[in-house]
Amino acid sequence: MSKTTRDGRKLRARTEAVHGGTNRTPFGETSEAMFLTSGYVYETMEAAERRFKNEEPGFIYSRFSNPTVRMFEERMIALEGAGDARATATGMAAVTAAMLCYLNAGDHVVSSRALFGSCRYIVEDLLPRFGVTSTLIDGRDLDAWKKAVQPNTRVFFLETPSNPTLEIIDIKGVADIAHAAGAKLFVDNVFATPVLQRPLELGADVVIYSATKHIDGQGRCLGGIVLADQSFITDHLANFMRQTGPSLSPFNAWVMLKSLETLDLRVREHARGAEAVARFLEGHKGIGRVFYPGLPSHPQHDLAMSQMSAGGNIVAFEVKGGKEGAFRFANALQVVKISNNLGDSKSLITHPATTTHQRLTQEAREELGINEGLLRLSVGLEDAADLIEDMERALSAKG
């Protein structure tokens, strides 16, 4: 829930990230309360009946809702400019719940092909088991979205920037095509975060996050969230969540709440460090291509900067020498750590072909530009000079 001052002034995003959704107990605590409870007590049986009939406000069971989780949801609602939201146990739970709560057998999904490996699994493998067909296209091509539309198309799905090669998709352009076809646009906004990109303002209908990434930002716990207008949450997602139970724990919600207080500061510092690292890598003889939306050399730099306020913290690059060269470089790093996570305060590097996208066929990986020399770097909050020195030394390693 968006906060205003006593005289009615609306607060800006960074302030919302500190104060939005706060619900204090009578004790008047400054830090948000953590409600580690599974159930709730009613004064009377009649009160319980009214609560279950939604005739009076209140909490029923923490699988459905919880005061700490709701504070996290309301703070994210304020940051994203959404009508409502539901938090989930993981980012993939958010993707799965958003899809399954809305789609029925006989429906069709159009999706960009450049997706996180688990998201492609949902679109390519899981949904068809329930009678939902899908078409994967090059999301950068607006004509491809138009041509993929079928009479039963209900959802367009994309992530931008994409994982791991940082393709940029025109959110407004795709939203216009989706709405003309009577479909909703779902956007995975993990790489950009609500700090750098606001898909709802560009026409998206549903925004999905793995809160495990930048929202926590310190590698501590899992979480996810789905944000949309009130009708999508009320008519589709809320009851699906209630009956199937992919709920976020109150403890994890509390951790996320505290992290949101520094999200804006962290993400902008991440992006500054990433741009410095990307510029270094682009000029090094041991590196082939560098993918970073904030660099003028990115083929979609202008589009990226028209819908993002900075390039983000992910840099993808090809080390010369293929898999052997990439492994030798990564193994020689000392400050940067090898991990498949991202959005952490620590800089993390992974080899997508053998980790996050290993389940794809070689043909599918090649189509996405995921070759054996490609590495994905999540730039953390270390001094960029230390990261550059670490990589310069690793690039000269002989194995």
Side-chain angles (χ1 to χ4, degrees), residues 99 102-111 127 131-137 145 147-157 183-184:
M99 292 286 189
Y102 186 67
L103 294 165
N104 296 298
D107 290 340
H108 175 247
V109 173
V110 182
S111 172
L127 291 180
V132 178
T133 57
S134 60
T135 302
L136 272 69
I137 52 100
W145 291 97
K147 291 175 183 177
V149 171
Q150 300 177 11
N152 57 337
T153 301
R154 292 194 74 205
V155 166
F156 281 21
F157 180 49
K184 290 186 181 295

Side-chain angles (χ1 to χ4, degrees), residues 4 64 111 244 252 261 303 319-320 329 339:
T4 57
F64 312 163
S111 172
T244 60
N252 287 17
E261 296 176 359
L303 173 60
V319 178
K320 292 179 181 178
F329 166 75
S339 175

Side-chain angles (χ1 to χ4, degrees), residues 12-35:
R12 294 169 177 80
R14 188 186 294 186
T15 310
E16 290 280 18
V18 177
H19 296 285
T22 300
N23 181 16
R24 287 189 173 88
T25 74
F27 293 110
E29 63 279 349
T30 54
S31 179
E32 295 78 9
M34 190 193 310
F35 292 90

Side-chain angles (χ1 to χ4, degrees), residues 199-233:
L200 295 178
E201 294 179 0
L202 296 169
D205 301 287
V206 178
V207 179
I208 302 165
Y209 290 101
S210 170
T212 309
K213 310 303 190 291
H214 306 82
I215 290 172
D216 171 29
Q218 286 143 91
R220 296 169 297 191
C221 57
L222 303 174
I225 192 164
V226 181
L227 302 108
D229 61 22
Q230 184 71 58
S231 63
F232 182 88
I233 301 298

Side-chain angles (χ1 to χ4, degrees), residues 85-107:
R86 287 294 183 273
T88 60
T90 67
M92 286 314 305
V95 173
T96 306
M99 292 286 189
L100 292 183
C101 81
Y102 186 67
L103 294 165
N104 296 298
D107 290 340

Side-chain angles (χ1 to χ4, degrees), residues 166 191 196 214 266-282 290-295 308 310-317 347 377-385 387-388 391:
L166 302 164
F191 274 25
L196 303 182
H214 306 82
R266 287 185 288 105
V267 168
R268 295 189 189 282
E269 191 60 32
H270 279 303
R272 279 191 286 271
E275 183 171 342
V277 168
R279 290 186 184 281
F280 159 75
L281 291 168
E282 190 173 48
V290 175
F291 306 89
Y292 183 68
L295 291 180
M308 297 172 65
N313 82 309
I314 306 298
V315 182
F317 56 97
S347 290
L377 172 68
S378 173
V379 176
L381 297 177
E382 303 95 343
D383 191 303
L387 297 176
I388 290 169
M391 286 183 276

